[in-house]
Amino acid sequence: MAARTPFILFFNPVRHATARFAELQKIARCEVVTSKSREEFFRDVSGKYKDISVIYRTSASGAVAGNFDADFIKQLPPTCKFICHNGAGYDQIDPDACSERGITLTYAPDAVTEATADLAVWLLLGALRQLNPALNSLRAGNFKKGVDFGRDPQSKVLGVLGMGRIGRAIKARCEPFGIVTRYHNRRPLAAESAAGAEYVSFEKLLSESDIISVNVPLNAGTRHLIGPKEIAMMKDGVVIINTARGAVLDEAAVAEALESGKIASVGLDVYEKEPIINERLLKNEKALLIPHLGTHTYETLEKMETCALENARRAVLGLPLLTPVPEHEQ
Ligand SMILES: O=CC(=O)O
């Protein structure tokens, strides 16, 4: 009997790495999902999607299917052995449920680093300089009348919460501004990776930083890691930047501390319930807000797609995967 052509189901179309996609189409049947809801997809799994080998997904895939949680993974056909995610954060996917079903999950960790760090620094400088109220003032025809003073970055202490690839890239970008970076991780980094950043306890990072950058992944242990108690420990006038995942911050607590002046300003790219944004944050001028744009560039999206497509190619050819998630590394 002839070998079955592997079937890769794309939860989102490939928009940038189109040459790679064309190559993949030579060795696999590639289709973009047509189910319009989670329920419809579950029905389709016993019909037209009964022999999926690989799923390709992006962080936008939740719009059709919801999270790839245990309930979702359980419904996948037994032929499905790989999920190739084209982002760095895979909080929408349950890796343990994948393991139980013999599914290997891959992600795209390196591709996102530079673009996300660039935007984090933009948010950091913009929040420090109170640029959001200034932009509003200009558009309201008031030029800089009544615009509050900002702060210089020189000699400020930046506390990076979660010094991984992106945290380290933020540190490197902040150095020319004279910012002193400290970090907290579960464990200190090797000296070479820390590159001179001092390791401090969580409490010390909270209480001594002028600026805090959130860079931890979202999981059960980091959900609402920063809430009212942690904010109370921070310096008055602290600036918080978040380019990781919204739910690491308790948004209501952040909004309240912005209103009281405990927090001077925030620069946020991510939100607890995207695309919904806490009303009090939306109304607060001291919140510099952008709509999850960390990786939203042609070059970076192409790199992310390329990584996910390469993982899918290796999956169908039985080759070692490029970037399995840490939980699934052999
Ligand atoms: O948010 C972006 C990503 O996780 O890659």
Side-chain angles (χ1 to χ4, degrees):
M1 211 169 67
R4 185 174 67 90
T5 306
F7 176 15
I8 309 179
L9 184 65
F10 285 74
F11 265 79
N12 295 85
V14 172
R15 296 211 158 85
H16 304 276
T18 45
R20 284 274 176 159
F21 181 60
E23 283 302 307
L24 196 58
Q25 283 178 301
K26 291 183 189 156
I27 58 166
R29 176 157 67 99
C30 298
E31 283 181 24
V32 179
V33 75
T34 56
S35 328
K36 294 280 175 291
S37 67
R38 188 169 169 100
E39 292 65 37
E40 190 180 336
F41 174 71
F42 289 165
R43 283 196 297 277
D44 288 340
V45 158
S46 46
K48 60 184 176 186
Y49 299 147
K50 66 177 187 315
D51 58 350
I52 312 166
S53 325
V54 179
I55 289 180
Y56 167 102
R57 78 182 299 286
T58 76
S59 57
S61 300
V64 170
N67 281 353
F68 281 26
D69 52 16
D71 178 44
F72 179 94
I73 303 292
K74 227 173 36 210
Q75 305 275 345
L76 294 177
T79 48
C80 180
K81 293 291 173 219
F82 301 92
I83 296 176
C84 299
H85 177 62
N86 99 345
Y90 52 94
D91 47 284
Q92 298 173 338
I93 312 164
D94 183 337
D96 296 335
C98 289
S99 307
E100 271 171 39
R101 286 292 309 271
I103 294 172
T104 305
L105 174 61
T106 69
Y107 69 146
D110 293 308
V112 309
T113 305
E114 308 300 330
T116 309
D118 291 345
L119 214 50
V121 175
W122 184 91
L123 286 169
L124 185 158
L125 293 174
L128 261 186
R129 295 292 295 262
Q130 295 290 7
L131 289 189
N132 193 56
L135 292 170
N136 291 345
S137 172
L138 180 140
R139 288 223 155 77
N142 297 324
F143 205 58
K144 69 176 170 188
K145 199 164 107 212
V147 170
D148 209 356
F149 301 110
R151 297 266 174 200
D152 288 327
Q154 286 78 25
S155 306
K156 297 291 182 299
V157 173
L158 166 67
V160 173
L161 193 53
M163 186 82 149
R165 294 171 175 85
I166 298 171
R168 295 200 298 270
I170 294 173
K171 173 195 177 288
R173 284 159 172 71
C174 283
E175 248 152 40
F177 291 105
I179 292 176
V180 179
T181 301
R182 292 168 159 192
Y183 74 99
H184 178 73
N185 274 7
R186 275 173 302 181
R187 281 178 298 280
L189 295 171
E192 197 188 326
S193 298
E198 183 190 352
Y199 176 81
V200 290
S201 67
F202 181 53
E203 291 70 23
K204 202 170 156 86
L205 182 128
L206 294 179
S207 61
E208 294 184 4
S209 301
D210 300 303
I211 308 156
I212 294 177
S213 173
V214 176
N215 296 103
V216 286
L218 177 65
N219 54 45
T222 61
R223 186 173 293 277
H224 283 195
L225 186 61
I226 306 288
K229 184 162 118 298
E230 291 72 26
I231 294 172
M233 292 166 70
M234 294 177 189
K235 280 181 150 181
D236 291 344
V238 67
V239 169
I240 301 179
I241 307 302
N242 189 3
T243 51
R245 285 293 181 265
V248 177
L249 300 180
D250 174 342
E251 258 174 20
V254 170
E256 185 154 335
L258 263 179
E259 284 163 12
S260 75
K262 170 76 186 176
I263 298 178
S265 55
V266 293
L268 306 179
D269 186 35
V270 288
Y271 306 90
E272 267 193 81
K273 298 193 179 96
E274 292 176 17
I276 298 162
I277 302 182
N278 179 301
E279 277 295 320
R280 285 163 72 190
L281 274 183
L282 264 185
K283 287 200 183 104
N284 198 314
E285 282 207 313
K286 297 195 167 176
L288 176 58
L289 308 176
I290 50 174
H292 204 147
L293 294 179
T295 56
H296 207 66
T297 67
Y298 290 106
E299 297 86 348
T300 293
L301 290 170
E302 181 172 355
K303 279 193 278 178
M304 291 163 73
E305 288 182 354
T306 300
C307 176
L309 292 174
E310 177 58 13
N311 275 310
R313 187 185 74 87
R314 291 176 182 223
V316 297
L317 293 178
L319 299 171
L321 298 165
L322 196 59
T323 45
V325 296
E327 293 90 331
H328 292 175
E329 269 168 18
Q330 296 290 320

